[in-house]
Amino acid sequence: MPVALVTGCSSGFGEVISIALAQRGYQVVATMRKPQSAPPALKALAAEKAADVVIAPLDVTNAAMRKAVIDLTLQRFGRIDLLINNAGITARGAFEDTPEDLWRAIFETNLFGPLELIRLALPVMRQQGVGRIINVTSVAAVLKTPLLAAYAASKHALDTASAAMDIETRSFGVRVACVMPGPFKTSLPNNSLDRDASAPYAAITASFAAKFDAMEAHAPEDLTPVINAVLAAATDPDPAIRYTAGTDAIAVLPPILQSLAPLQPLGLFLTGQN
Ligand SMILES: NC(=O)c1ccc[n+]([C@@H]2O[C@H](COP(=O)([O-])OP(=O)(O)OC[C@H]3O[C@@H](n4cnc5c(N)ncnc54)[C@H](OP(=O)(O)O)[C@@H]3O)[C@@H](O)[C@H]2O)c1
């Protein structure tokens, strides 16, 4: 059975991805910061398939925990076929209202934690001669989004690093792809580390906050497109660098995506799977 290690499984995409993989015959290490608060569906699955599904602690920003979870996966299942870097955080706020420590916290979770997990998984995958890494980014990786500079920059960096790594590792049988979702209804906005707007940024913050709130209110609850994108990225014989999910679901996105069309020769288009 192929073995998958997934981060950020306490809610949202990570929860449904880990369940979907287990249902499709993967052995799964579903990781989260607080395994004691694992979602009931995942807990039930881990109890039912105790030999194949493990819930394990992982804060992706903690080096010792990253090493421990790789060791646990190898001890338990002997290999790692699929690493899914899904854990992520966001924060709304103008650049001047977002202090350095918040920028660094977002990059630790969204970029450096995933990169260091990849650093630990790659030698295992190279030795196996097969492996796949899927990094969950966002349309914010390519859309230039005000009030989300740190989040968008962290996802952009992960997207770019993934594309470079995919070229470096493919001769070893290891491929790297990104799943790039549009907006979906998850806990992400509720956990957003938003900053209060300072006076100079009050007007632009209010204007964009209203647009974001409206977009989030209309975001789809059905996370199936994300599951399907992950499964395609995990199983396509020659995977694309980007798999979009739900980018057409929100009325505001198609015109924005359309406006990126002139950049297609640079590979920065979203309408296809590349
Ligand atoms: N929902 C969307 O509209 C959307 C769109 C594009 C991209 N994304 C991306 O999709 C991914 C999953 O987000 P989601 O929408 O499913 O939101 P979510 O429900 O809030 O899930 C985020 C997950 O990341 C975990 N996490 C946060 N910091 C962590 C850390 N330091 N170590 C380990 N886990 C950590 C959270 O765990 P805790 O419970 O411990 O906080 C939670 O399980 C994120 O990378 C996000 O940027 C989401």
Side-chain angles (χ1 to χ4, degrees):
M1 288 167 98
V3 177
L5 171 57
V6 189
T7 70
C9 298
S10 68
S11 61
F13 299 165
E15 178 186 355
V16 298
I17 289 166
S18 55
I19 292 172
L21 290 170
Q23 288 167 341
R24 282 162 181 80
Y26 283 78
Q27 291 180 307
V28 178
V29 179
T31 69
M32 60 195 71
R33 287 192 282 197
K34 293 182 190 144
Q36 67 276 19
S37 323
L42 193 51
K43 258 189 193 159
L45 191 70
E48 182 198 324
K49 294 178 173 253
D52 297 322
V53 179
V54 181
I55 297 174
L58 175 63
D59 180 329
V60 299
T61 66
N62 182 308
M65 293 181 87
R66 291 192 297 259
K67 169 86 170 66
V69 86
I70 294 284
D71 290 347
L72 177 146
T73 306
L74 292 174
Q75 279 158 14
R76 189 68 194 264
F77 299 124
R79 53 189 294 118
I80 306 172
D81 297 283
L82 183 59
L83 167 64
I84 303 185
N85 278 309
N86 163 73
I89 54 171
T90 188
R92 277 191 207 169
F95 172 75
E96 272 199 85
D97 292 334
T98 308
E100 179 186 349
D101 61 350
L102 185 50
W103 264 78
R104 289 189 185 277
I106 290 171
F107 268 66
E108 288 297 338
T109 302
N110 293 3
L111 181 68
F112 294 119
L115 291 183
E116 292 312 308
L117 259 186
I118 292 170
R119 198 188 299 282
L120 294 171
L122 265 180
V124 177
M125 293 178 171
R126 273 194 294 105
Q127 243 177 358
Q128 293 170 174
V130 66
R132 202 154 287 192
I133 293 160
I134 299 175
N135 296 319
V136 178
T137 59
S138 165
V139 286
V142 294
L143 299 177
K144 310 302 174 227
T145 320
L147 306 187
L148 284 177
Y151 178 75
S154 70
K155 295 296 190 179
H156 181 102
L158 187 59
D159 177 79
T160 301
S162 302
M165 270 185 253
D166 180 54
I167 297 166
E168 294 168 7
T169 61
R170 65 178 67 184
S171 68
F172 306 121
V174 180
R175 299 298 303 268
V176 185
C178 292
V179 164
M180 183 183 270
F184 285 89
K185 215 165 260 175
T186 66
S187 320
L188 198 68
N190 306 338
N191 298 332
S192 186
L193 303 168
D194 297 351
R195 308 295 298 182
D196 288 338
S198 58
Y201 292 96
I204 187 173
T205 300
S207 149
F208 276 98
K211 290 188 180 98
F212 288 153
D213 288 345
M215 193 168 74
E216 282 163 7
H218 292 101
E221 287 177 18
D222 180 5
L223 307 184
T224 308
V226 177
I227 296 173
N228 289 341
V230 167
L231 293 174
T235 57
D236 278 354
D238 183 17
I241 186 59
R242 294 179 182 140
Y243 290 79
T244 57
T247 47
D248 54 353
I250 298 294
V252 71
L253 277 176
I256 300 173
L257 301 183
Q258 199 67 33
S259 70
L260 288 172
L263 297 178
Q264 279 192 10
L266 293 176
L268 289 174
F269 63 101
L270 278 165
T271 46
Q273 291 294 315
N274 264 302

